Each structure stands twice: as structure tokens, then as C-alpha cells.
Amino acid sequence: METAFFLYRSRTELTAKSGQCTDILNEARARNLDLDLTGYLHLEDGRFYQWLEGPAEPLALVRDMILRDPRHRNVEFLWQGDLPERLFDGWRMGFGTSHAGTLFDWVAERGVKVSDLQDFARGLRDFMLNALPTKSI
């Protein structure tokens, strides 16, 4: 069975250490467990970047929830489609945040063209896969 996925970015006023950010992460992990979704959420410089994957119907429900959530503004879906298998298998929701050497440093070091949305989306996916620690969450 193929796995559906999407990758988006949105603007937010939240910071990684805020209670609301912790709430988003805890809610996502519980919901993803119930809906058989996996993925990764990254927060950097006032933007969320998220890869989410799983069965198409639950994924569409979460997509609609994100679009209605006032904690996400200017939601932009960068990439979506189907995969032969999950990339974040076992990860109900990995999480990363900005610190020295994160997303923008990683993208610059690898020559990812941020002006090319397709190249940027692939770079984001690769960054997230590279950022995963060895323990599933």
C-alpha cells in the first residue's frame, strides 16, 4: 500500500519553549498514533516546517486541521504525493528547533536552491531525515 505525504511551511508566533508549542507537539503525537501518521516538525525563525505521511484519508483530515489552526499562518504546501514506503516510520512526530547548524546552515552548505520550491522541498525532507536522532518518538 502506498503512503500519502505532504510537506508544508507556515508562519507562527510560537517559540519552541512555549507551552503552546509543547501542546502542538503532544497533540500531534497522540493524534498521529490514533491515525497511523508519522512525520517530523521543525520550528525555526518563526516558521513551522512539517513532513507528515500515512493513509490518505487521515492525512487529509490533519491537513484541514492545520489550515484552520490559528497558530499556523500563511500555510504553504511545498510538496505532496505518494511514496512506496514511509520515510519516518516509527516517528509519531520527530521535533527539531533552531540552533547553530540547523536548517538554514544545512541548506546553504548543500547548495539547496531556496528560490526553487521543488529543490527546497527536497532539501527540507533530507534535512529532517538527517536530523532524526536514533530513538523513535
Side-chain angles (χ1 to χ4, degrees):
M1 175 193 308
E2 288 200 343
T3 299
F5 77 93
F6 62 73
L7 172 67
Y8 75 91
R9 66 181 169 192
S10 66
R11 293 202 178 275
T12 186
E13 299 296 322
L14 303 183
T15 62
K17 295 183 184 204
S18 72
Q20 283 188 318
C21 188
T22 301
D23 291 345
I24 285 176
L25 193 54
N26 291 335
E27 291 165 11
R29 287 177 173 156
R31 181 181 53 247
N32 291 353
L33 180 62
D34 289 342
L35 299 177
D36 191 29
L37 300 176
T38 53
Y40 191 88
L41 177 66
H42 185 78
L43 174 59
E44 188 162 335
D45 293 336
R47 282 195 183 262
F48 280 120
Y49 301 89
Q50 185 176 17
W51 177 281
L52 199 58
E53 61 191 19
E57 280 187 45
L59 194 66
L61 291 172
V62 174
R63 178 188 167 110
D64 291 343
M65 290 172 64
I66 291 166
L67 288 169
R68 289 189 311 267
D69 189 329
R71 299 170 295 189
H72 296 275
R73 296 185 333 273
N74 301 73
V75 178
E76 181 180 8
F77 288 88
L78 304 172
W79 194 10
Q80 52 194 349
D82 294 312
L83 299 167
E85 61 186 31
R86 290 176 193 254
L87 298 179
F88 294 85
D89 194 27
W91 286 87
R92 291 300 156 202
M93 186 52 60
F95 180 70
T97 187
S98 59
H99 59 276
T102 58
L103 176 61
F104 295 110
D105 293 335
W106 194 90
V107 164
E109 290 168 3
R110 283 155 182 80
V112 174
K113 297 177 185 126
V114 295
S115 60
D116 177 339
L117 281 184
Q118 190 173 32
D119 194 45
F120 182 58
R122 284 186 172 83
L124 277 170
R125 175 206 54 201
D126 294 345
F127 167 80
M128 291 173 175
L129 286 168
N130 188 39
L132 287 177
T134 57
K135 183 179 176 210
S136 296
I137 297 175

